[in-house]
Amino acid sequence: MMRASKTLAALAAALLAAGASHAAAAPVQLRHLLWDASQRPMYQQCARDFERLHPGVQVRVQQQGWDDYWSSLSTGFIANTAPDVFANHLSKFPEQVDNGVLLDIAPLAQRDRVDPAAYLPGLYDNWSRQGRQYALPADWDTVALLVNLDMTRRAGIADEALQRLDWNPRDGGSFGRLIARLTRDEADRDALDPAFDKRRVKVFGYQTPAAGGMMGQTEWSHFAVSNGWRFQDAPWSQVLHYDDPRLAETLDWLAALPRRGVSATPQQLGRLGAETLFTMGRVAVVPIGAWMTGQMARQLKFPHAWVPLPVGPGGQRTSMMGGIGHVIWKGTRHPEQAWQWVRYLGSPACQQVVAQAGVVYPAIRGLAEVALQAQSRLGADARVFLATAQGKTFAPPIVANAAEINEVLDSAMQRILFSGEPAGPLLREANRQARALAAR
């Protein structure tokens, strides 16, 4: 009996040891959240590749649509259930920095010798503040014009002319004349014809997508900045310039387009959106972000081209250069493994996978060309986005309390662009409120 008891005790101890060893070997589980469904497959491939290199870590890539994404994250921060790693947007991360929910990865990046110069200029620094680093850049985007070539050719406009458009807030320049020529009423008269009937428009020459909030990324920022305007003195500066007359005159010019009949009114636009009207052949020209290239190439059944934004009164064309970054939730239970995953996401190995998908342009230098080749196989010649990125660009506004500031500015932009109220007084009051919020 004594011998049997000793044998059973030894067996139990061995089983407990084996169980403890198995528990110790259980892989770390990381959650990664993103909002773009088209990017999920490429990041799942990156996760599989990462897991082969890090057998002790498993990554679960999840996707949630933009409308629910940010409220879900906010709930997760409060409930202590946020994902370990998530895709972040420059318009959102200042508030997260202020709320202390992001991990400062600067010490880790220094330890592992991350080279900021590996990324396109400015992308790394966009995610920095006061010596802290909150993300590694994932991709970048610029804005161009998408043009229906059937309509331009029918109007006698040469393809080459689309490459050298100019704009000003007085008469619209050659861009203003272009969209007037492309606008057609039901009698097929363009908007330059004295008999043009703006009440019965068949095709609109141009369409502003939305009000644009504080950024106006595809809506108005490129016009305003090419007119000499700027959002703020520097990233995180409390000195905002939405009260500048150069922004007001830019917005007043855009707001006049529906009144002239060359753009749809809010009622005509409805819930369809500018891209849908373009796809339907109801609009000849729309401003569009690089992230839409693949989707539009698959949808469009008529000849089209992505062409540069018009040159402004200052003699230059310019575009906002945005992009997402991957960040780590400060409450993660696995900061080291989360960092290794973020480091891999920002590495040439993963970004090569991203490039080959042709959905977005990777942040690492030299890989945008790979993405362009992938897009060309879809029939999309989107070289203009890279050319724009290599020219004069500007960053979106990066400021504290951005969510509240965006509400203030979006309300003002709605009233200006869609209700036709004069921009100057509205922008002066909106800027006063925005500055107060930025300094709070």
Side-chain angles (χ1 to χ4, degrees):
M1 292 291 291
M2 291 276 294
R3 190 175 299 158
S5 295
K6 289 179 180 178
T7 302
L8 288 172
L11 180 60
L15 289 172
L16 284 171
S21 174
H22 177 74
V28 168
Q29 302 275 346
L30 295 178
R31 287 176 58 220
H32 176 110
L33 188 65
L34 51 82
W35 65 77
D36 187 351
S38 64
Q39 295 189 44
R40 186 176 182 179
M42 61 198 194
Y43 283 119
Q44 285 177 322
Q45 179 61 55
C46 285
R48 288 191 291 269
D49 297 340
F50 174 80
E51 289 168 352
R52 282 194 289 271
L53 296 172
H54 300 81
V57 185
Q58 291 180 354
V59 179
R60 185 156 53 112
V61 179
Q62 299 174 310
Q63 181 265 333
Q64 196 165 18
W66 176 272
D67 290 340
D68 299 320
Y69 188 86
W70 303 105
S71 58
S72 175
L73 278 175
S74 296
T75 301
F77 297 146
I78 296 169
N80 210 36
T81 58
D84 302 277
V85 174
F86 59 95
N88 211 344
H89 195 276
L90 284 169
S91 67
K92 304 291 185 179
F93 106 101
E95 186 172 0
Q96 297 164 3
V97 170
D98 289 340
N99 291 335
V101 296
L102 301 182
L103 185 71
D104 174 18
I105 62 172
L108 298 166
Q110 291 167 5
R111 182 196 72 189
D112 292 350
R113 298 182 180 179
V114 173
D115 182 10
Y119 304 100
L120 266 67
L123 294 184
Y124 189 88
D125 292 341
N126 280 345
W127 301 96
S128 304
R129 189 185 189 192
Q130 297 175 340
R132 298 181 177 91
Q133 185 70 27
Y134 294 101
L136 292 188
D139 58 42
W140 59 266
D141 52 67
T142 54
V143 178
L145 298 176
L146 182 56
V147 179
N148 184 319
L149 292 179
D150 269 349
M151 294 180 180
T152 56
R153 291 165 182 170
R154 194 178 308 130
I157 299 164
D159 292 358
E160 296 75 20
L162 300 173
Q163 304 293 322
R164 51 179 187 271
L165 296 169
D166 60 68
W167 169 86
N168 68 71
R170 295 174 298 283
D171 60 16
S174 62
F175 175 72
R177 292 189 293 276
L178 169 78
I179 61 177
R181 288 177 64 184
L182 293 174
T183 301
R184 298 282 169 169
D185 66 12
E186 292 180 357
D188 204 35
R189 295 173 293 226
D190 67 34
L192 297 175
D193 190 323
F196 171 72
D197 188 349
K198 65 181 182 181
R199 297 167 301 175
R200 294 177 175 82
V201 178
K202 179 172 61 176
V203 175
F204 298 102
Y206 180 76
Q207 188 58 50
T208 301
M214 66 183 287
M215 293 176 62
Q217 182 170 13
T218 58
E219 294 85 2
W220 46 261
S221 62
H222 41 275
F223 289 115
V225 175
S226 74
N227 194 29
W229 178 75
R230 68 187 191 280
F231 285 103
Q232 58 192 145
D233 291 340
W236 297 99
S237 172
Q238 300 169 4
V239 181
L240 304 173
H241 299 291
Y242 292 97
D243 57 349
D244 189 317
R246 288 170 292 191
L247 175 60
E249 66 180 2
T250 298
L251 294 171
D252 283 336
W253 183 80
L254 286 169
L257 298 182
R259 296 196 294 271
R260 292 170 46 205
V262 297
S263 283
T265 64
Q267 295 75 23
Q268 292 166 325
L269 185 62
R271 296 184 178 179
L272 292 175
E275 290 89 357
T276 300
L277 288 183
F278 182 84
T279 304
M280 294 168 59
R282 292 291 315 282
V283 172
V285 181
V286 290
I288 200 156
W291 59 90
M292 293 291 292
T293 303
Q295 178 179 330
M296 298 307 289
R298 287 187 292 270
Q299 289 182 353
L300 298 178
K301 308 302 181 186
F302 49 79
H304 56 276
W306 286 269
V307 305
L309 294 164
V311 173
Q316 289 184 309
R317 61 170 53 92
T318 186
S319 165
M320 182 180 292
M321 189 169 180
I324 71 168
H326 290 121
V327 299
I328 300 173
W329 173 43
K330 196 172 184 178
T332 179
R333 288 176 291 179
H334 311 289
E336 180 61 34
Q337 291 87 350
W339 161 247
Q340 293 303 326
W341 170 232
V342 166
R343 178 76 183 94
Y344 187 76
L345 289 168
S347 71
C350 177
Q351 296 223 340
Q352 181 76 22
V353 172
V354 172
Q356 290 170 345
V359 177
V360 294
Y361 303 114
I364 287 182
R365 295 172 184 264
L367 289 181
E369 291 81 356
V370 177
L372 288 171
Q373 291 170 8
Q375 291 172 345
S376 70
R377 291 192 286 272
L378 292 173
D381 181 357
R383 290 173 293 176
V384 64
F385 292 113
L386 179 57
T388 300
Q390 294 169 339
K392 180 175 172 55
T393 61
F394 56 91
I398 299 175
V399 64
N401 297 310
E404 293 172 89
I405 292 172
N406 187 67
E407 287 184 16
V408 170
L409 266 300
D410 194 61
S411 175
M413 297 301 173
Q414 293 275 357
R415 293 171 65 182
I416 295 165
L417 293 174
F418 297 147
S419 297
E421 296 185 45
L426 285 171
L427 290 175
R428 285 192 290 273
E429 173 58 22
N431 195 68
R432 184 191 66 77
Q433 294 181 44
R435 284 193 178 191
L437 287 166
R440 196 176 66 191

